[in-house]
Amino acid sequence: MRKIVLTLLLLVTFTVTYGQNKYQERQSKYFVEAAAKEFSLSEVQQKELKEIRTKMVVAYGESQVSFKSGAITKEQKQAKNREVSKEFNNSVIKMTGKKYKDLAPFFKRMREELKKVK
């Protein structure tokens, strides 16, 4: 009986994790396509942006896991997330040649639109 319960638990965990990764991939794809259209990014830049965004999402996830496990405090999590966000924003600034104030409306629009990506 325990083996069945354990197997079912592992199956559910795997399914949820896999589904979450697909959701994040769809969000990243949506973000990259919108940025490519908005800022006329080349194929190479799009690939680089996808890598940068993936790195950011992974870092956010790791900080959340560390926080939930008690390894870091809420303030430490926020500091890590700010640092990751700053790195991401600086990379996009460098890639597009735009200043942050010019990118901010795009980032704000993407935050709203990405909530609707299923």
Side-chain angles (χ1 to χ4, degrees):
M1 184 68 175
R2 283 187 196 177
K3 288 181 181 180
I4 293 172
V5 172
L6 184 59
T7 302
L8 288 175
L9 181 62
L10 288 173
L11 182 63
V12 169
T13 302
F14 175 76
T15 304
V16 170
T17 302
Y18 180 75
Q20 184 68 20
N21 288 339
K22 288 294 183 184
Y23 173 70
Q24 290 169 347
E25 285 178 24
R26 286 192 301 275
Q27 282 189 321
S28 288
K29 182 179 178 189
Y30 185 92
F31 182 90
V32 171
E33 288 174 356
K37 185 176 179 182
E38 182 91 10
F39 304 113
S40 303
L41 300 179
S42 69
E43 290 293 323
V44 172
Q45 289 173 315
Q46 289 177 50
K47 184 177 179 182
E48 182 182 350
L49 180 58
K50 183 178 180 184
E51 291 170 5
I52 293 166
R53 179 159 168 82
T54 300
K55 181 181 172 185
M56 179 189 71
V57 168
V58 168
Y60 280 165
E62 288 173 353
S63 70
Q64 183 66 17
V65 168
S66 295
F67 172 67
K68 285 189 174 186
S69 71
I72 62 174
T73 66
K74 182 177 181 181
E75 292 76 22
Q76 290 171 319
K77 181 185 103 166
Q78 290 171 338
K80 285 182 181 225
N81 288 349
R82 275 193 301 274
E83 184 62 33
V84 169
S85 183
K86 186 177 179 180
E87 288 177 23
F88 175 78
N89 291 339
N90 288 337
S91 295
V92 176
I93 288 167
K94 184 178 177 184
M95 183 183 303
T96 62
K98 307 270 187 201
K99 294 183 179 184
Y100 182 79
K101 70 177 186 172
D102 298 326
L103 294 171
F106 173 75
F107 288 149
K108 182 178 180 183
R109 190 179 89 225
M110 284 296 99
R111 276 192 293 277
E112 294 303 315
E113 289 180 19
L114 289 174
K115 291 176 186 175
K116 299 173 187 171
V117 173
K118 301 293 178 197

